[in-house]
């Protein structure tokens, strides 16, 4: 790998890291304030809303974060082809947003109890629209993430600052939803503006191309749905069948888990286009060993210092989150190698179906575990996180078996 390639990869990874830090770690920075201002039930409702946004964003993404990145990276240098791909992607995403909106309003109208209240849940649609329109997939494929990173990071910083300035009690929960949504919309509009400035404004692709683009992404979509079933799905399960208090206990521990995943995600996102072109297994081995070594050190630190970190960051009243955190840390030791072996490695080597099927397996395991929890009547933050651990472990085992022959060669 020459110096220019290394520079491009590191620059793209750095930009993606900044976005991940803004999307995942800034909420962790905000969490200590919200746990105190909103109270346990209020924070649980906030976490439930965040999980709904994440789930909806997976639906509206439709797997384009993988398939569109691959197609556009292959179409580099063909401006009109990229514009048509972008047009197809955005049209499908907007259609899916409309379906999500109908489903969310239907949930609010039919549920006996909605964490945070009906108005709060409906206001989440602003955030979902903003995430739907963000063209991160295009700039990731072009390895030009610096073009939009500043807008995305600035919007998340603005959200945090505005919440700190204007949200003073549990009654301000709907305001939190509005501010979050406006921040996402700003980032989306800025990204679309940059697209236009680079001569990549989406254009009408034709119905045939829409069907082709959507069809190429369908398997990725179902795999992402499976992923969210053991991610945000766990929080949604607790919110629907449990209590806001249990959601808060679960979410406090999950913040550490999601923060760690966010640190590693830019590495996987940055190397995927490169691996798709070069299939540099030697480089991947080095990245894999280094990432896993850091994960082991981080998990050991989390287990030793967990109670202190929970009290210091989230305040008193959340010590019940520590056993949940320990299980999350064990799940992290499965999740990190599993993520690296997935699309950045198996997907780039033409084994995307293997990676997808591992996610389906994990989602199936999660559904079985949550179903058992529901029918046994033992729903709690601790039992739900055990279901997450089982799901992550099953995905790792499946992917490791498929990847071993390539890594050994």
């Amino acid at each position: 790998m020459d110096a220019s390639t290394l520079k491009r990869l590191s620059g793209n990874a750095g930009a993606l890291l900044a976005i991940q830090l803004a999307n995942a770690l800034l909420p962790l920075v905000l969490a200590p304030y919200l746990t105190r201002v909103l109270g346990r039930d209020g924070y649980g409702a906030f976490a439930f809303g965040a999980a709904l946004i994440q789930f909806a964003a997976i639906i509206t993404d439709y797997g384009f974060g993988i398939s569109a990145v691959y197609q556009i990276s292959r179409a580099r240098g063909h401006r009109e082809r990229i514009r048509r791909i972008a047009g197809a992607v955005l049209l499908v995403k907007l259609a899916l947003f409309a379906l999500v909106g109908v489903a969310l309003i239907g949930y609010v109208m039919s549920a006996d109890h909605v964490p945070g209240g009906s108005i709060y849940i409906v206001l989440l649609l602003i955030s979902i629209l903003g995430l739907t329109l963000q063209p991160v997939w295009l700039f990731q494929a072009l390895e030009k993430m610096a073009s939009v990173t500043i807008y995305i990071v600035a919007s998340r910083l603005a959200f945090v600052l505005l919440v700190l300035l204007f949200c003073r009690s549990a009654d301000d929960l709907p305001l939190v939803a509005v501010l979050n949504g406006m921040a996402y919309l700003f980032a989306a509009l800025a990204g679309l503006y940059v697209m236009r400035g680079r001569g990549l404004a989406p254009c009408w692709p034709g119905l045939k191309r829409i069907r082709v683009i959507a069809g190429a992404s369908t398997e990725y979509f179902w795999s992402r749905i499976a992923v969210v079933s053991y991610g945000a799905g766990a929080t949604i399960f607790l919110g629907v069948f449990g209590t806001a208090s249990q959601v808060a206990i679960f979410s406090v521990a999950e913040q550490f888990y999601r923060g760690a995943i966010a640190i590693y995600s830019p590495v996987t996102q940055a190397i995927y286009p490169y691996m798709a072109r070069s299939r540099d297994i030697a480089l991947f081995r080095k990245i894999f060993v280094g990432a896993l070594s850091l994960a082991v050190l981080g998990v050991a630190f989390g287990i030793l210092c967990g109670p202190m970190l929970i009290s210091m960051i989230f305040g008193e009243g959340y010590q019940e989150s520590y056993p949940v955190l320990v299980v999350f840390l064990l799940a992290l030791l499965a999740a990190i190698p599993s993520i690296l072996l997935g699309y950045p490695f198996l997907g780039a080597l033409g084994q995307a179906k293997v990676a997808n099927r591992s996610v389906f397996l994990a989602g199936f395991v999660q559904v079985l575990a949550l179903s058992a929890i529901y029918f046994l009547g033992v729903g709690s933050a601790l039992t739900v996180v055990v279901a997450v651990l089982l799901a992550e472990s099953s995905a790792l085992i499946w992917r490791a078996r498929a990847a071993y022959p390539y890594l050994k060669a």
Side-chain angles (χ1 to χ4, degrees):
M1 183 171 60
D2 57 34
S4 62
T5 300
L6 180 60
K7 182 179 179 180
R8 186 172 64 252
L9 272 176
S10 60
N12 212 40
L16 287 164
L17 176 60
I19 291 174
Q20 290 293 339
L21 291 175
N23 285 332
L25 296 189
L26 282 179
L28 180 58
V29 172
L30 188 60
Y33 181 75
L34 292 178
T35 53
R36 292 166 172 83
V37 170
L38 299 179
R40 183 188 267 193
D41 286 350
Y43 182 71
F46 169 78
F48 177 68
L52 287 176
I53 292 171
Q54 183 185 353
F55 187 84
I58 291 293
I59 294 175
T60 61
D61 179 74
Y62 201 70
F64 291 128
I66 299 171
S67 68
V69 168
Y70 184 84
Q71 292 177 50
I72 293 172
S73 66
R74 291 289 189 175
R76 288 171 67 170
H78 302 278
R79 186 183 302 273
E80 291 305 311
R81 184 180 171 191
I82 292 174
R83 291 182 65 204
R84 288 193 293 271
I85 294 172
V89 168
L90 285 174
L91 285 170
V92 173
K93 286 166 72 72
L94 286 171
L96 290 170
F97 168 75
L99 293 176
V100 166
V102 171
L104 200 59
I105 292 172
Y107 162 69
V108 167
M109 295 178 64
S110 61
D112 294 330
H113 172 70
V114 178
S118 300
I119 294 176
Y120 168 66
I121 298 299
V122 172
L123 288 173
L124 299 178
L125 286 171
I126 306 173
S127 294
I128 296 168
L129 177 60
L131 285 168
T132 299
L133 293 174
Q134 284 187 15
V136 173
W137 40 271
L138 182 134
F139 294 100
Q140 181 186 342
L142 299 176
E143 297 180 79
K144 300 290 185 181
M145 282 302 303
S147 301
V148 293
T149 297
I150 186 171
Y151 301 111
I152 295 174
V153 173
S155 70
R156 304 316 299 161
L157 283 171
F159 165 63
V160 171
L161 292 175
L162 289 172
V163 168
L164 293 175
L165 286 173
F166 296 109
C167 298
R168 301 295 182 185
S169 70
D171 294 334
D172 292 325
L173 184 60
L175 178 60
V176 175
V178 171
L179 294 175
N180 196 27
M182 296 306 293
Y184 279 127
L185 274 178
F186 168 79
L189 294 175
L192 293 172
Y193 178 79
V194 174
M195 280 179 65
R196 183 180 180 85
R198 287 181 172 270
L200 296 173
C203 64
W204 174 250
L207 292 176
K208 182 179 179 180
R209 184 172 290 273
I210 291 174
R211 288 194 296 269
V212 170
I213 295 295
S217 197
T218 299
E219 187 172 2
Y220 295 107
F221 166 70
W222 287 115
S223 72
R224 304 316 293 165
I225 288 292
V227 167
V228 85
S229 74
Y230 59 92
T235 304
I236 294 172
F237 176 87
L238 275 175
V240 174
F241 299 110
T243 64
S245 179
Q246 284 297 309
V247 174
I249 292 170
F250 183 88
S251 180
V252 163
E254 188 184 29
Q255 292 296 322
F256 296 99
Y257 177 78
R258 295 299 167 196
I261 294 292
I263 292 173
Y264 282 91
S265 290
V267 177
T268 64
Q269 292 174 331
I271 66 174
Y272 177 59
Y274 174 74
M275 287 293 295
R277 294 195 311 273
S278 68
R279 302 189 175 188
D280 189 343
I281 295 177
L283 173 64
F284 179 84
R285 286 197 198 98
K286 295 176 183 178
I287 294 173
F288 184 84
V289 172
L292 191 56
S293 300
L294 289 174
V296 171
L297 292 175
V299 166
F301 175 78
I303 291 174
L304 291 173
C305 302
M308 177 190 69
L309 292 172
I310 291 171
S311 295
M312 182 175 63
I313 296 173
F314 297 100
E316 300 301 324
Y318 293 95
Q319 286 304 312
E320 293 173 68
S321 295
Y322 177 66
V324 181
L325 173 61
V326 172
V327 181
F328 261 128
L329 291 173
L330 296 177
L332 190 64
L333 289 178
I336 288 174
S338 178
I339 291 171
L340 289 168
L341 291 174
Y343 301 110
F345 187 68
L346 291 171
L349 295 178
Q351 299 294 323
K353 287 187 177 180
V354 175
N356 288 340
R357 287 168 185 165
S358 71
V359 177
F360 295 144
L361 170 65
F364 179 70
V365 169
Q366 173 81 322
V367 169
L368 281 181
L370 292 179
S371 298
I373 290 170
Y374 173 76
F375 286 112
L376 292 174
V378 292
S380 69
L382 186 58
T383 56
V384 168
V385 75
V386 170
V388 174
L389 173 61
L390 292 174
E392 294 285 11
S393 299
S394 65
L396 173 62
I397 292 170
W398 186 281
R399 291 181 175 183
R401 288 180 59 190
Y404 180 71
Y406 296 100
L407 292 171
K408 184 178 67 171

